[in-house]
Amino acid sequence: MTRRIITGFFAAVFAFCLTCAAAWAHPHVWVTATSELVYAPDGSLTAVRHAWTFDDMFSTYALQGIETKTKGVYTREELASLAQTNVESLKEFGFFTFARAGDAGTRNRKQKFEDPTDYYLEHKDGALTLHFTLPLKTPVKSRQLVVDIYDPTYFVDFSLAKADPIKLVGAPDGCKMSIERPNDGSAQAQAQSIGEQNFLDGSNANFGAMFANKVTVDCP
């Protein structure tokens, strides 16, 4: 998939890549993610709450041109406009979040999300972190749920935080969670061996699915 129409934050991603050496291959931006799966009292999943921290180099680039009262200090209020643009532009890419219910008879039933809520940007230690909540259009109650976090085009590389990357909030008693991470180091090596042009012409539009971060929740 080519980045034909990219708005907001991901326009900055594309512009940022134009400043990189031509030899650079996918990925171009690195994100460290932590997430929460939010449940209602009846045991249904109602939302996925994300915190995505962008790499230092891209964070610095994205902050160019933002006016602040104190040099080097960015408040939520000063970053509010950028945060809004960020979450609005995520919709085009499915929020990089893919949820499926796994009951017998409805296995692999894809879930849809509403527009993000409770979003804001935080600047700390030179990096930007985007916080936002993705409400499900219809809360889902299932014995198994699978949530994948990745960019299908592998333009952005998502890695789960090393410590406590996923939390269950309000999940029913007895629910068990497992996390499957992509093999460390293999994704970038394979992407570089394929070559950048193969991504630009759409030949590997779903390459990133091979390196999805997969969260599976099994409930009684």
Side-chain angles (χ1 to χ4, degrees), residues 19-78:
T19 68
C20 303
W24 282 24
H26 279 49
H28 294 287
V29 178
W30 287 262
V31 171
T32 301
T34 61
S35 303
E36 295 179 342
L37 306 186
V38 183
Y39 288 79
D42 68 353
S44 60
L45 181 70
T46 61
V48 179
R49 188 179 296 141
H50 288 307
W52 292 349
T53 300
F54 295 87
D55 65 85
D56 293 352
M57 184 178 296
F58 179 67
S59 294
T60 299
Y61 182 87
L63 289 170
Q64 290 183 1
I66 295 180
E67 296 183 0
T68 63
K69 291 182 179 179
T70 304
K71 185 176 180 180
V73 177
Y74 299 85
T75 66
R76 285 192 193 184
E77 291 74 20
E78 291 165 340

Side-chain angles (χ1 to χ4, degrees), residues 1 12 14 28 33 36 39 50-51 56 79 91 97 103 125 127 139 154 162 174-175 177-178 181 190 206 213:
M1 167 183 167
F14 183 72
H28 294 287
E36 295 179 342
Y39 288 79
H50 288 307
D56 293 352
L79 295 172
K91 188 172 184 177
T97 306
D103 281 8
D125 298 328
Y154 200 49
K162 293 182 179 179
C175 290
M177 177 180 64
S178 62
R181 302 171 186 258
Q190 291 192 39
N206 201 39
N213 299 277

Side-chain angles (χ1 to χ4, degrees), residues 23-191:
W24 282 24
H26 279 49
H28 294 287
V29 178
W30 287 262
V31 171
T32 301
T34 61
S35 303
E36 295 179 342
L37 306 186
V38 183
Y39 288 79
D42 68 353
S44 60
L45 181 70
T46 61
V48 179
R49 188 179 296 141
H50 288 307
W52 292 349
T53 300
F54 295 87
D55 65 85
D56 293 352
M57 184 178 296
F58 179 67
S59 294
T60 299
Y61 182 87
L63 289 170
Q64 290 183 1
I66 295 180
E67 296 183 0
T68 63
K69 291 182 179 179
T70 304
K71 185 176 180 180
V73 177
Y74 299 85
T75 66
R76 285 192 193 184
E77 291 74 20
E78 291 165 340
L79 295 172
S81 178
L82 180 59
Q84 180 179 354
T85 306
N86 292 355
V87 296
E88 289 175 351
S89 65
L90 281 170
K91 188 172 184 177
E92 181 183 350
F93 309 103
F95 308 105
F96 299 132
T97 306
F98 309 92
R100 292 170 284 132
D103 281 8
T106 59
R107 194 167 303 279
N108 294 326
R109 185 182 62 196
K110 294 182 179 180
Q111 304 302 306
K112 296 182 179 180
F113 294 101
E114 299 280 6
D115 291 340
T117 63
D118 304 325
Y119 54 82
Y120 64 93
L121 274 169
E122 177 186 20
H123 182 256
K124 184 178 179 181
D125 298 328
L128 278 173
T129 299
L130 177 63
H131 299 262
F132 65 102
T133 298
L134 281 177
L136 271 73
K137 285 192 174 182
T138 303
V140 58
K141 191 173 183 179
S142 172
R143 296 189 67 176
Q144 185 181 81
L145 288 165
V146 178
V147 178
D148 295 332
I149 303 168
Y150 69 98
D151 175 5
T153 66
Y154 200 49
F155 207 81
V156 181
D157 176 81
F158 286 89
S159 298
L160 296 182
K162 293 182 179 179
D164 299 322
I166 307 293
K167 294 181 179 179
L168 303 182
V169 179
D173 293 340
C175 290
K176 297 181 180 179
M177 177 180 64
S178 62
I179 299 173
E180 182 181 340
R181 302 171 186 258
N183 295 327
D184 292 340
S186 62
Q188 187 174 0
Q190 291 192 39

